[in-house]
Amino acid sequence: MGERPDVKVAVLISGRGSNLQALLDACAKPEFPAEIVCVISNIADAYGLERARRAGVATQVIDHKAFPTREAFDAALDTAIRAAGAELVCLAGFMRLLTPGFTKAWHGRVINIHPALLPSFKGLHTHRRALEAGVKLHGCSVHFVTADLDDGPLIVQAAVPVLDGDDEDSLAQRVLTAEHRIYPLAVKLIGEGRVHLDGRVVRVDGAADAGATLVNPIA
Ligand code: GAR
């Protein structure tokens, strides 16, 4: 304890940045084993940039529209992330697909938060699709990023109930609260050196089982 240096993190965003805020708040605690060294947005007026500035974290805008190809955009991201000295990249509402070249170069060092219990509901509009599918449990996942969309090894998941009368907004809010809990948890586990990739499966050293079964509805 106390000997391992904090893992240096780059956070990539495209918008509101509430997950970024959860990470900033976690990193502000002295015992938290990670430090955010830069926040990069592909959108110039993303509100998350304001959150980063308020926390005194360096920001950069890299507008994907300024690059002729996805490869060129990803090369600019790569350069900025390396220049900041980041060892771990956290996608936090970053709405661009990364190229296979990037995900290969950063294999095991890029993580994403997705608003569904993967492998269900990859892609967009996860809450609407969960409601349409009638699932009783929904949630969120933190996973390693691979070349395939929302497909990489799962690190932490949280489940929430889908309640009678939920609409997209109420369900999104319940899931978002869980996101803000598990994204810092995943970064903490990585920072503590407790996360190991074993093919498709992630092993976490010293983790306790969640224990209880979540049943919904209770009748
Ligand atoms: C979050 O719900 C995140 O899980 C989702 O976008 C939202 C960003 O909110 N990400 C994706 O859908 C990625 N495919 P935030 O900017 O407030 O963190």
Side-chain angles (χ1 to χ4, degrees):
M1 294 297 265
E3 280 174 23
R4 182 186 290 275
D6 285 353
V7 62
K8 292 185 166 57
V9 177
V11 184
L12 273 51
I13 62 167
S14 298
R16 165 181 70 173
S18 71
N19 277 291
L20 164 65
Q21 188 68 57
L23 294 173
L24 288 167
D25 292 348
C27 289
K29 297 182 185 134
E31 71 279 8
F32 196 80
E35 177 198 356
I36 299 176
V37 292
C38 70
V39 171
I40 300 172
S41 174
N42 64 311
I43 305 287
D45 62 357
Y47 181 65
L49 289 168
E50 183 55 35
R51 296 179 190 268
R53 283 183 210 113
R54 241 190 275 142
V57 172
T59 63
Q60 200 169 332
V61 174
I62 303 180
D63 180 355
H64 59 280
K65 294 196 293 298
F67 296 87
T69 61
R70 289 172 54 209
E71 285 74 14
F73 172 62
D74 282 9
L77 287 178
D78 181 272
T79 300
I81 293 164
R82 287 181 199 280
E87 306 150 287
L88 176 70
V89 179
C90 292
L91 309 184
F94 181 67
M95 304 311 265
R96 302 295 305 168
L97 288 178
L98 295 167
T99 53
F102 184 96
T103 55
K104 196 167 168 213
W106 285 87
H107 179 75
R109 296 182 295 159
V110 187
I111 64 176
N112 179 48
I113 184 140
H114 181 75
L117 285 174
L118 293 172
S120 292
F121 308 120
K122 296 176 180 178
L124 297 175
H125 310 299
T126 56
H127 309 307
R128 187 191 311 166
R129 287 159 55 214
L131 287 168
E132 284 167 2
V135 296
K136 301 301 182 196
L137 296 172
H138 184 43
C140 48
S141 307
V142 179
H143 65 95
F144 283 109
V145 172
T146 60
D148 298 317
L149 178 70
D150 299 330
D151 192 55
L154 295 161
I155 307 166
V156 184
Q157 294 187 293
V160 302
V162 180
L163 303 182
D164 260 358
D166 262 341
D167 59 17
E168 228 175 304
D169 286 347
S170 62
L171 185 54
Q173 186 52 55
R174 194 172 308 120
V175 172
L176 194 63
T177 301
E179 293 184 41
H180 297 163
R181 181 166 161 200
I182 69 167
Y183 214 179
L185 172 60
V187 171
K188 174 175 182 283
L189 293 171
I190 291 170
E192 290 173 346
R194 295 165 62 188
V195 172
H196 307 285
L197 251 178
D198 181 4
R200 264 213 72 87
V201 174
V202 171
R203 315 240 172 247
V204 178
D205 291 342
D209 296 335
T213 304
L214 182 53
V215 175
N216 181 57
I218 307 280

